[in-house]
């Protein structure tokens, strides 16, 4: 069935900046955890379930090119193939600071949340940042997809980064931005 792609499926650059500022500046014992969680979601395009399934053994943050092993837990599709994702230095640093406070057990979950708990945490920060309601945690994945599209216009690259098996799945993350409509109208003189 066709799903209408609405503006509410991703955060604008301003909304994302406000959201991450609220997460970064919160003074709370769990701030490093929350900052690492949302830095990963907002900058990598990882699925929330992939982030929730991360363990210390999946994190390879030392060296010039930090990366993570990703597991996609799925009841519907069976076990997905293991994939890896390269992190930028800023996100790797945030995760590394958080890891210094996590027990050294390699099989322990880094973010021991249920789906509902991560949704509540997202809504808490979104409310504090003044982000439009009705957003879901998955909006951060759509935000990464939209930013990738805006900067590359390359579906194949997006497909590889987002971990999709088909380009049609990737195309669902390409949204028409009001700024793009204005620029196109100006360019053709409409």
């Amino acid at each position: 069935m066709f799903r209408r792609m609405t503006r509410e499926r991703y955060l604008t650059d301003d909304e994302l900046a406000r959201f991450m500022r609220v997460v970064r500046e919160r003074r709370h014992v769990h701030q490093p955890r929350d900052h690492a969680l949302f830095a990963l979601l907002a900058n990598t395009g990882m699925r929330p379930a992939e982030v929730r399934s991360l363990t210390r053994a999946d994190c390879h943050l030392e060296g010039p090119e930090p990366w993570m092993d990703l597991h996609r837990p799925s009841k519907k599709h069976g076990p997905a193939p293991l994939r890896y994702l390269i992190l930028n230095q800023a996100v790797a640093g945030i995760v590394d600071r958080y890891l210094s406070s996590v027990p050294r057990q390699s099989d322990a979950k880094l973010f021991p949340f249920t789906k509902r708990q991560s949704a509540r945490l997202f809504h808490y920060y979104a409310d504090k940042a003044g982000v439009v309601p009705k957003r879901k945690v998955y909006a951060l994945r759509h935000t990464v997809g939209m930013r990738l599209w805006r900067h590359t216009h390359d579906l194949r690259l997006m497909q590889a980064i987002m971990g999709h098996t088909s380009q049609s799945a990737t195309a669902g993350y390409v949204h028409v931005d009001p700024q793009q409509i204005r620029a196109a109208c100006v360019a053709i003189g409409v």
Side-chain angles (χ1 to χ4, degrees), residues 11-43:
L11 278 66
T12 64
D13 292 340
D14 180 53
E15 288 172 329
L16 182 61
R18 285 194 329 255
F19 178 84
M20 290 308 296
R21 185 174 45 253
V22 167
V23 172
R24 190 175 49 252
E25 293 175 355
R26 181 179 183 210
R27 298 291 170 238
H28 191 268
V29 68
H30 295 301
Q31 187 276 340
R33 177 203 65 192
D34 297 350
H35 193 200
L37 171 72
F38 290 117
L40 283 170
L41 288 170
N43 292 290

Side-chain angles (χ1 to χ4, degrees), residues 110-173:
L110 295 183
F111 306 103
F113 293 122
T114 64
K115 184 177 182 178
R116 176 179 229 147
Q117 287 169 327
S118 59
R120 283 184 178 166
L121 194 59
F122 172 78
H123 288 292
Y124 170 81
Y125 286 114
D127 183 48
K128 293 278 186 198
V131 174
V132 177
K134 296 186 182 178
R135 299 285 172 78
K136 297 183 179 344
V137 178
Y138 222 80
L140 294 173
R141 182 166 162 83
H142 278 267
T143 302
V144 171
M146 186 65 184
R147 290 169 63 203
L148 279 169
W149 176 252
R150 203 179 304 138
H151 292 287
T152 66
H153 291 286
D154 186 344
L155 270 179
R156 286 268 191 215
L157 179 62
M158 280 180 64
Q159 180 181 357
I161 292 172
M162 303 296 277
H164 292 140
T165 54
S166 71
Q167 280 191 355
S168 61
T170 306
Y173 288 77

Side-chain angles (χ1 to χ4, degrees), residues 34-142:
D34 297 350
H35 193 200
L37 171 72
F38 290 117
L40 283 170
L41 288 170
N43 292 290
T44 64
M46 292 172 71
R47 294 170 180 92
E50 289 172 333
V51 174
R52 288 192 309 269
S53 69
L54 284 174
T55 64
R56 182 182 283 277
D58 296 326
C59 301
H60 309 278
L61 303 176
E62 51 289 327
E65 210 170 66
W67 57 283
M68 290 186 155
D69 291 324
L70 302 183
H71 309 274
R72 182 177 174 195
S74 174
K75 296 174 187 170
K76 188 167 46 171
H77 302 292
L82 180 70
R83 71 182 183 103
Y84 73 95
L85 188 67
I86 297 171
L87 302 175
N88 68 37
Q89 293 293 334
V91 173
I94 293 167
V95 174
D96 197 33
R97 280 191 294 281
Y98 168 58
L99 285 179
S100 66
S101 66
V102 173
R104 288 263 177 223
Q105 301 166 334
S106 64
D107 61 341
K109 301 270 188 217
L110 295 183
F111 306 103
F113 293 122
T114 64
K115 184 177 182 178
R116 176 179 229 147
Q117 287 169 327
S118 59
R120 283 184 178 166
L121 194 59
F122 172 78
H123 288 292
Y124 170 81
Y125 286 114
D127 183 48
K128 293 278 186 198
V131 174
V132 177
K134 296 186 182 178
R135 299 285 172 78
K136 297 183 179 344
V137 178
Y138 222 80
L140 294 173
R141 182 166 162 83
H142 278 267

Side-chain angles (χ1 to χ4, degrees), residues 2-10 142 168-176:
F2 175 75
R3 286 185 295 173
R4 185 177 171 170
M5 295 298 166
T6 62
R7 216 321 262 124
E8 286 78 30
R9 295 183 65 97
Y10 67 94
H142 278 267
S168 61
T170 306
Y173 288 77
V174 176
H175 306 282
V176 178

